[in-house]
Amino acid sequence: MWAVKHPPASALAAAAAADVVRSRAAPPQRARISTAIAGAGKSVSSQKPLHLPSLDGVGFFRAAAEGARWRRDDVAAGALEADGVSLPSEGGDAVAKSAAAKKVKIGIYFATWWALNVVFNIYNKKVLNAYPYPWLTSTLSLATGSLMMLISWATRIAEAPKVDADFWKVLFPVAVAHTIGHVAATVSMSKVAVSFTHIIKSGEPAFSVLVSRFLLGEAFPPGVYLSLLPIIGGCALAALTELNFNMIGFMGAMISNLAFVFRNIFSKKGMKGTSVSGMNYYACLSMMSLVILTPFAVAVEGPQLWVSGWEKAVAEIGPHFVWWVAAQSVFYHLYNQVSYMSLDEISPLTFSIGNTMKRISVIVSSIIIFHTPVQPVNALGAAIAILGTFIYSQAKQ
Ligand code: 3PG
């Protein structure tokens, strides 16, 4: 069977399998597989195959960033599910075995990515509750990641990328948008429940479509526009019924959505042809964002507030507060790194579905851990918005 009817489970399986086959197969094999898919599609199912979209929407920035490595020419080739497609007999067994092994690997990446993200969000909120200086904590996250990568390169745990001045020039607008999106999300989480920030962040595809349509003149199939109704409607319902609504928290999440859309667009335009790995690309992005953010963090909050706030937090929480800060910083880098590593293996569509599922894990776990009060109508709004992002993923194929 080809198409994804039930996005959460089957979309991942289908897209992951497709990614697996494409990435393992040599170019001539990929061509044969595509032909096989095209032929098989007619007899196996009349449903639309899972085409992988162009790069935008939820988390698509990372896809764009890895444009060259993700075999753009494969993106339109269509996809197949692991259990439904007869691969060409020549080498078919080997490809199938390889596909199964890689499916397991992707499953492990996804589970790790979500788990790290949940831990980051919990420590991030614990830190912000005791120490409400989001500009500093955002800066520390980037600084920690940068340091970890510099050490990895120096000790040759990871190979340093070979990048030139042009690479950094092209990275600059991406880093500006990344910095704004990161700090805005952290400011949001300092003002509202983690779950609320992520519900609003699940509306990122709506921003993507609106910016692409009205600023870039890009047209989409009607299904994409229709999918915006549940996304916008669900987010609006969740915002209107949020018990601890705060305008700065709401606007922070909205600005983060907008910034990440521009990040996608800049990276989509700029990253064509790069051969830097996902892990190293994210490391360079962290470093440039750190340089951009630091002066603003000093100007907006500054050392005086940071020092007095620190003393207060340590007095309230105890000396182990420093470990909370370390945990939020380290886990921020790790979850992003694993998401980039996943993207060396998967398509943008698989990533976007995984990212939406990640938000569900964060929303549910943070509600449980922080005892966030949720009214049924509020939960309904969140569910509608998230369902909308799945519909969007499908309509965008
Ligand atoms: C950030 O601080 O950059 C945001 O929390 C990012 O959130 P996301 O990776 O879930 O979009």
Side-chain angles (χ1 to χ4, degrees), residues 58-59 62 113 117 120-121 124 138 141-142 178-187 189 197-198 201 204 256-257 260 263 282 328 332 335-336 339 351 355 358-359 362:
V58 183
R62 294 146 171 113
W113 170 26
N117 189 256
F120 157 71
N121 275 282
N124 191 39
S138 305
S141 309
L142 296 170
H178 178 65
T179 308
I180 294 171
H182 173 44
V183 79
T186 315
V187 168
M189 279 186 262
T197 299
H198 280 273
K201 276 176 74 65
E204 192 179 314
S256 176
N257 279 342
F260 283 173
R263 185 180 66 174
Y282 181 69
Q328 76 87 19
Y332 177 78
Y335 97 75
N336 275 296
S339 78
F351 186 89
N355 203 27
K358 177 198 85 180
R359 297 213 192 280
V362 172

Side-chain angles (χ1 to χ4, degrees), residues 240-253:
L240 288 173
T241 57
E242 171 65 30
L243 290 173
N244 296 307
F245 182 86
N246 172 287
M247 189 50 90
I248 297 175
F250 175 71
M251 289 308 295

Side-chain angles (χ1 to χ4, degrees), residues 30 52 78 125-126 165 180 195 213 225 231 318 345:
R30 288 209 298 269
L52 307 181
K125 186 61 180 171
K126 276 159 79 90
I180 294 171
S195 51
R213 180 74 195 92
Y225 296 115
I231 294 175
E345 315 280 344

Side-chain angles (χ1 to χ4, degrees), residues 121-134 137 186 188-194 309 312-313 316-317 321 324 369-370 372:
N121 275 282
I122 289 163
Y123 276 104
N124 191 39
K125 186 61 180 171
K126 276 159 79 90
V127 167
L128 289 169
N129 280 344
Y131 188 65
Y133 299 102
T137 60
T186 315
S188 171
M189 279 186 262
S190 73
K191 297 287 182 191
V192 292
V194 176
K312 196 164 163 273
E316 265 172 30
I317 308 293
F321 176 68
W324 291 8
I369 286 165
F370 294 109
T372 311

Side-chain angles (χ1 to χ4, degrees), residues 54-61 202-218 220 224-225 228 231-232 254 257-262 264-265 268 392 396:
S54 60
L55 308 175
D56 67 343
V58 183
F60 284 172
F61 146 76
S202 71
E204 192 179 314
F207 284 80
S208 176
V209 171
L210 296 176
V211 168
S212 303
R213 180 74 195 92
F214 293 112
L215 292 186
L216 305 178
E218 220 176 293
F220 297 94
V224 168
Y225 296 115
L228 300 190
I231 294 175
I232 295 170
M254 296 284 276
N257 279 342
L258 193 61
F260 283 173
V261 168
F262 280 104
N264 303 346
I265 290 167
K268 182 177 176 179
Y392 166 85
K396 193 81 173 47

